[in-house]
Amino acid sequence: MFGSNLGNPERGGTSRVDADVSRPAPTVVVGLGNDIAGDDGIGLAIADILSRRLAAAPGVDVVALPWAGFALLDTLRGRHRAAIVDCLTGGQHPPGTIVRLDESDLAGSVRLNSFHDISLPTVLALGRQMGWEMPDEVAIWGIEAEEAGVFGEDLSPPVARSVEPVIRELTAFVLAAEPHPQPAEVMR
């Protein structure tokens, strides 16, 4: 069973709650989804695993979110790079297919192109218009669902088989990042 254990140490999860939140890590991986809606939990399942595997990686945060929109605005603020994982429900690919999306093509994404919230391109534009530093590089992984929205905590077999390949791609993305200089600390 895959589920979101982020922030729940009793279930093996981790979070950066105790970290210095005034300076977010330059790279963030965001898993989107609903862990009680079948395949829609794929982003959260991947975030859960990556939060443990990348716990010692400097300059990387892994965040699980049940929604995008305005929540992404705060999550992406101050970052240089972002990787986002979401469930696809477009039916354009066989279940479990991993699709790389970009800001201009979010077709099928459950959360990044919503009628009920602001879209990812709007999030980035709004943040920049407000003068916030927003990621220059945003990479998006979508995984085609077989059973999104069906009540249950388990991923379907084809979607579950996509977990490790997506984790390998995300890890390569994160580790390929060139180090970004951090602002100098003010010594008093």
Side-chain angles (χ1 to χ4, degrees):
M1 172 177 75
F2 293 99
S4 176
N5 296 326
L6 291 177
N8 185 349
E10 294 173 0
R11 294 181 64 194
T14 59
S15 69
R16 279 191 42 151
V17 172
D18 297 327
D20 177 6
V21 294
S22 64
R23 282 185 290 165
T27 300
V28 65
V29 177
V30 180
L32 300 172
N34 182 340
D35 61 357
I36 61 167
D39 290 343
D40 189 29
I42 184 68
L44 300 180
I46 288 171
D48 180 41
I49 294 167
L50 276 177
S51 70
R52 286 178 269 136
R53 291 189 188 173
L54 296 175
V60 179
D61 283 338
V62 177
V63 177
L65 293 175
W67 54 85
F70 285 106
L72 269 180
L73 185 63
D74 288 332
T75 301
L76 298 179
R77 180 181 183 181
R79 313 293 184 153
H80 298 280
R81 302 173 79 227
I84 301 173
V85 184
D86 195 13
C87 173
L88 299 178
T89 58
Q92 299 173 356
H93 308 282
T97 300
I98 301 164
V99 180
R100 286 293 303 271
L101 304 170
D102 62 35
E103 295 172 42
S104 64
D105 181 19
L106 300 172
S109 172
V110 174
R111 285 173 181 74
L112 295 176
N113 196 24
S114 172
F115 295 111
H116 303 291
D117 210 338
I118 61 174
S119 68
L120 176 62
T122 303
V123 163
L124 295 170
L126 180 60
R128 289 180 182 122
Q129 186 175 13
M130 292 170 44
W132 294 353
E133 181 179 5
M134 299 299 283
D136 294 323
E137 182 178 5
V138 178
I140 305 162
W141 279 261
I143 298 90
E144 188 70 42
E146 181 177 75
E147 302 174 347
V150 175
F151 182 74
E153 294 180 351
D154 295 330
L155 300 174
S156 66
V159 171
R161 285 191 294 273
S162 72
V163 169
E164 284 302 322
V166 171
I167 286 175
R168 282 192 297 274
E169 290 182 27
L170 285 165
T171 301
F173 173 83
V174 166
L175 297 179
E178 293 182 6
H180 295 281
Q182 293 292 320
E185 290 188 24
V186 177
M187 303 299 282
R188 293 180 197 237

